[in-house]
Amino acid sequence: MTGVLYVVATPIGNLEDWSPRAVATLKAVSVIAAEDTRHSGRLMQHFAIGTRLIAVHDHNEGAKVESLLADLQEGRDIALISDAGTPLISDPGYRLVAAAQQAGLRVVPIPGACAAITALSAAGIPSDRFVFEGFLPARSAARSERLRELAGETRTLIFYEAPHRVQECLQDMATVLGNERRVALGRELTKTFETIRQLPLGEMLAWVSSDADQQRGEIVLILEGASAEAGEQDWREADRVLALLLAELPVKQAAGLAAGITGLKKNALYERALQLKA
Ligand code: SAM
């Protein structure tokens, strides 16, 4: 019998959110692979979980995978946890889970908190279709570039953001996407100073800039997607620009220039240019 790899979510703040199944699983396994053993040690102590912890984080996960797989092959159960929330969601664990799946081992999720889903559930921004973008680039130029790439995305967008960058991130969002797009800020979710507020980007920026408390703690941003109508308008404009450029230039060059002019993706414009040419 081979062992089972349990992927166990931990609380994102409020310890009462943790499920009895998660606690029982961590008590029963042979070893817990934790992102930070000191941090998780406190949680284990609180819940009287005596299982041995070993460190598996971004810097050593690749090197640890082989020995953890060997443990599983020899029949030992392992639990994977991260500092908070669901492992693999902007957290380590992907390489271990992928390797276990590829080796045909059983991987069992023990679900629980995830900041992205927790924020989405209370944001009042459409939740039927959404994209998780994790952390945006830390530097403004790269962040704005990524936001431009995402400008036409009609699904709701979910971002994690560091508190010391939230103001400049909202500033870049407002600059690239306009003041009117709605955004929800979910801060310190499930904790004492939990704040969830939804406003147009321009007003959110003004509020966060004027209140230093909103630039503290842990933050999720839930951004309304582009309206489908705006997306259509963008493409009508792109077709017009492409048609003009294609009259003078080869497809590749026309698509590159059109991307610079419209902010739409070069690959998508290249495909569109080929259709227009046909
Ligand atoms: N794996 C975690 C999850 O399932 O949500 C996310 C880990 S990621 C390294 C940490 C980021 O998640 C924080 O910087 C913040 O953006 C978000 N986050 C975690 N806990 C949060 C909370 N209680 N309130 C708001 N955001 C939180």
Side-chain angles (χ1 to χ4, degrees), residues 94 106 110 278:
Y94 167 72
R106 210 170 141 223
I110 310 287

Side-chain angles (χ1 to χ4, degrees), residues 56-79:
V56 177
H57 42 70
D58 273 336
H59 306 293
N60 74 353
E61 188 182 341
K64 289 271 176 188
V65 164
E66 215 172 295
S67 67
L68 290 168
L69 281 195
D71 282 350
L72 290 164
Q73 301 280 14
E74 284 162 22
R76 284 186 284 280
D77 291 342
I78 296 174

